[in-house]
Every structure is written in C-alpha cells, then in structure tokens.
Amino acid sequence: SINIINLFSQFVNFILFSVPFRRSERSAAPKATVEGQVTKGDTSTMRMRLGERLSVTLFGTSHGPCVGALLEGMPSGVRIDDEVIQERMALRRPGEGIGSKRKESDVVRIASGLHEGHTTGQPLMIEIANADVRSSDYSFLPDRPRPAHQDLPMHVRSEGHADLSGGGSSSARLTAGLVAAGAIVAPLLETLDVQVTAHVGAIGPHEAPLPVHGRGWPNASAALVRCQDAAAAEAMLLHVESLKQERDSVGSRVDVVISGLPMGLGEPWFDGLEPALGRALLAVPGARAIEFGQGTRALRMRGSEHHGGWHPSTQGPQLRTEVGEGALGGMASAADLVARLTLKPPSSIPQPMPTVDLSSGEASTLAVKGRHDPVLAPRGVAVVEAMTTLVLADLALRGGYLNG
C-alpha cells in the first residue's frame, strides 16, 4: 500500500508541476523566425542543369556581374550566326515594350567552344553582362521576404549566404542564357525541318488563335505584346495598361506550335516528348500549368471526338485532329504538337502585401517597388521557344535523329 501511495503522489506531482509548465510553453505566442528550419547535410550544392546528350547549365544572379549558360554536347562544325542570336535576345530583353524598364543590351559573348564562327564540339561558355543593376531596390532583404517569391526558401536553404537581390539565381534574368543557348542550338532542328513558333495566346480574359509559322507581328501593338493576332493584341495591351494604373499585374499564357517532328522522336514514359517539354517549360519563372493538344478540354470530350484516327496520304499514315496530338506514348506522331504554358500574375506589385519581419518575428507588410513586369508572357515567348528547342535537340541526339 505504501508503494501505491508513493506512485499516486508522483503522479499528482507530475500533473501539478510538469503539465502546466508544458501548457504554458505551448500558449506562448511563437515568433516567426527561420531558426531551426535549416536542413542538415550539404546545403550548398544546388543544380541548374537541363538535358542529357545536349545539356545547359545556368549560372549567375540578377544583380551579379553576369548571367549565362554552359552548353555541352553541341556537335562540332555548326555555324554560329551572331545576328540571329541577338535577334532572339531582343525578344526577351528588358526595357522593351510593356515589360520591365531595366535597360540591358544583352550582348552575348561566347567565351569557349567556338573557332572561326563554328562550334568545336567543346562546351560553349555563354556570358551576358549585367549592366543596369539597382541593388538598393532590395534593401529590405533578407529581413522582409517578398510574398510569393523564393526569398525565404532560398535564404533558409543557403543558410543566409544567397544573394537575393532581384531574385538572385532564381530571377527571370537567367533566362537570357537559355535564349542564347536556344539560338545556338536552333540550326540543329533546321536540318530536320522542325519548326517552333510561339506567341502570346492569352492575357487575362483576352485570347488569340494559335500562332502560324512564318507570320510576323501585324502592327505595333502586336509587336509590343508578342501576339500574331492584331485585334487580340490591342485588347491585351489595353488590359495590361489599365492594370498598371491600378498598380496590379495579370496572368498570361504562351502558346507554341511544333511542326515537322519525325515520327518516333522522343522516348517512352518519363523522357517522352510531353514529359520532357513539361519538365522544362514548368521551370520557366512564373509557370503554373502546361497543356498539350486538347489539354483540359479533353475532360468534357468523348473518345470519338478527341481523335480523328489514322488516314492514308502520300506521306504515309497521318493523324487528323482539330488540335494536333503530336505525341503518342511519348513519341512524335508526325502531327503538329501544341503546348500552352500558363504563367501567373507577377508577384512584385507596388501594393502593400503581408510578410514577416525576420529580425523581430512580427507581422509586417511590403510594397515591392522597382522595375518589374506587369505581365510575363510577352517576354516569355522567346524563352518558351528556346526551351522547346533545347529539349527537342537533346531528344533528337539521343534518338539518333541528329549526329553528335
């Protein structure tokens, strides 16, 4: 009985002293700090690489000395046209049209892998200098991370060592290297008679038909918006300008049509045309959804209307569909392949948005100032074309459709 009394006394002491103490700990208002969230192990290693036989590795930061790409696996003897490269760069260059007013010349320097205007087969080091940098616009970092940006996750992952100004290594500024690499690789697809054409398919509620190969911008508004349809481009432009007056941004979409893919190009399952393109295109900053062919409209369709079946032609069996089902089982069907990439409204807007002051752990607000795009798709057109080109060239080399 004495043992029972002792056990009961110990239990009462535990309830009276231990439990209330723990409850008081839980009831204390926690501070929103990042301590304890750092991962263990090798946190410094991060990769920004795409491709297998033909690969591109990005480097640089938005406000560092330069951005660029290391392009590996490019066959030797391919002629490099500097004018074509700069034309592609102009399509995504900031300071143009309705986008960011940051002024960058984006002159591409190829530091290796090139001799007398032709590739040598060695890795090509692509460099683009950063000139118009205003790091003072980001003096609030890292204490007040921007809502819907990578500031806080990158700050934690790098243990506070990352350069977060302008988005750092996650900035859309790094797409300059992708566009340059795509322009260098494009001649490989030309040997296969493959065509890749993109334009702005939608901004907000305003939509345009699919782009047509070889068609330019019909007027000034279309050139600003990067849309082949004049009426749709005018409506898109007015919509963006009205939202800018409200200090807001808007979602958008880039549509791309791929023609001339040889039947069978692509790999089954995980490296198929659509999986490979989807993985790459969803890496475009701001990407939120990717659709191929009929996309989400297939939900409301019957099988009898979703495809038109195979039909004989002078070029062999061909598919007849309203919107090209250009890939079957991961491999090209020889029909047009259509992809639509939806981009979110840019997160940097000059309106007070909720955040946390990491120095105090208290709630705060942040209105992001500086030079930012009110819509992503116009400058995303060149990026989508480049990314598509890089993926297709890699798959063509892997499948033996190109020599390399």
Side-chain angles (χ1 to χ4, degrees):
S1 61
I2 294 175
N3 289 336
I4 294 175
I5 293 173
N6 288 336
L7 288 173
F8 180 77
S9 176
Q10 292 175 14
F11 175 73
V12 170
N13 286 332
F14 174 79
I15 295 295
L16 290 176
F17 297 103
S18 299
V19 173
F21 174 73
R22 291 177 182 176
R23 283 180 179 170
S24 65
E25 281 186 326
R26 292 194 195 102
S27 61
K31 297 290 186 180
T33 64
V34 297
E35 295 179 3
Q37 296 187 31
V38 177
T39 58
K40 302 300 181 182
D42 187 2
T43 60
S44 63
T45 301
M46 301 185 201
R47 296 182 63 191
M48 299 189 292
R49 183 176 183 269
L50 173 71
E52 186 172 309
R53 282 287 302 277
L54 180 74
S55 68
V56 58
T57 303
L58 300 182
F59 62 84
T61 58
S62 177
H63 287 198
C66 69
V67 294
L70 179 67
L71 182 61
E72 299 177 275
M74 189 70 178
S76 62
V78 178
R79 181 177 175 272
I80 301 302
D81 191 328
D82 292 332
E83 290 187 7
V84 171
I85 295 174
Q86 293 306 144
E87 287 174 2
R88 303 306 302 169
M89 298 299 291
L91 285 176
R92 71 146 304 279
R93 185 169 56 214
E96 306 287 335
I98 58 177
S100 166
K101 299 308 176 186
R102 177 173 174 172
K103 296 289 185 180
E104 297 286 357
S105 61
D106 280 354
V107 175
V108 174
R109 175 176 177 264
I110 302 177
S112 65
L114 190 67
H115 180 66
E116 294 182 349
H118 292 77
T119 58
T120 64
Q122 299 296 314
L124 290 105
M125 178 69 74
I126 303 165
E127 298 177 355
I128 302 110
N130 291 329
D132 190 10
V133 173
R134 295 184 191 174
S135 296
S136 60
D137 288 346
Y138 300 89
S139 58
F140 53 83
L141 292 172
D143 287 342
R144 288 187 296 158
R146 294 170 296 170
H149 284 78
Q150 54 77 54
D151 300 337
L152 184 53
M154 183 63 77
H155 183 62
V156 171
R157 171 69 186 271
S158 67
E159 298 183 343
H161 295 295
D163 177 6
L164 303 178
S165 297
S169 60
S170 299
S171 170
R173 176 70 184 144
L174 273 72
T175 62
L178 285 172
V179 172
I184 292 171
V185 169
L188 296 181
L189 294 188
E190 292 174 4
T191 63
L192 298 176
D193 294 325
V194 173
Q195 295 178 288
V196 177
T197 301
H199 82 156
V200 174
I203 292 180
H206 306 286
E207 301 224 9
L210 289 171
V212 177
H213 300 304
R215 180 180 295 175
W217 316 125
N219 57 29
S221 294
L224 286 174
V225 179
R226 308 285 196 260
C227 176
Q228 292 183 359
D229 187 274
E234 189 66 35
M236 293 174 185
L237 184 59
L238 291 174
H239 188 62
V240 172
E241 293 297 340
S242 68
L243 287 171
K244 287 174 67 176
Q245 295 300 316
E246 300 174 21
R247 298 185 303 167
D248 218 332
S249 60
V250 65
S252 54
R253 194 183 72 226
V254 177
D255 296 347
V256 59
V257 176
I258 307 164
S259 302
L261 290 173
M263 187 175 291
L265 187 146
E267 303 295 319
W269 288 90
F270 308 110
D271 289 331
L273 272 174
E274 291 161 329
L277 286 169
R279 176 175 179 266
L281 291 174
L282 284 173
V284 174
R288 281 299 171 267
I290 182 75
E291 297 178 75
F292 294 97
Q294 303 285 359
T296 57
R297 289 173 294 177
L299 174 68
R300 297 181 295 273
M301 300 178 72
R302 297 185 179 187
S304 56
E305 60 182 338
H306 182 261
H307 62 82
W310 292 105
H311 299 269
S313 75
T314 55
Q315 288 79 39
Q318 289 186 339
L319 286 174
R320 294 178 185 173
T321 55
E322 180 183 356
V323 177
E325 294 294 334
L328 298 171
M331 293 171 283
S333 67
D336 288 352
L337 178 61
V338 175
R340 297 177 175 87
L341 182 69
T342 298
L343 303 163
K344 71 176 183 178
S347 303
S348 293
I349 55 176
Q351 291 189 33
M353 300 293 289
T355 187
V356 172
D357 189 329
L358 300 182
S359 62
S360 66
E362 303 291 340
S364 182
T365 60
L366 179 66
V368 181
K369 300 178 182 179
R371 304 159 295 174
H372 304 286
D373 296 291
V375 61
L376 299 178
R379 290 176 60 204
V381 168
V383 181
V384 168
E385 289 189 346
M387 196 79 88
T388 301
T389 298
L390 291 166
V391 170
L392 295 178
D394 180 39
L395 290 174
L397 284 166
R398 291 171 62 180
Y401 294 87
L402 291 170
N403 294 321

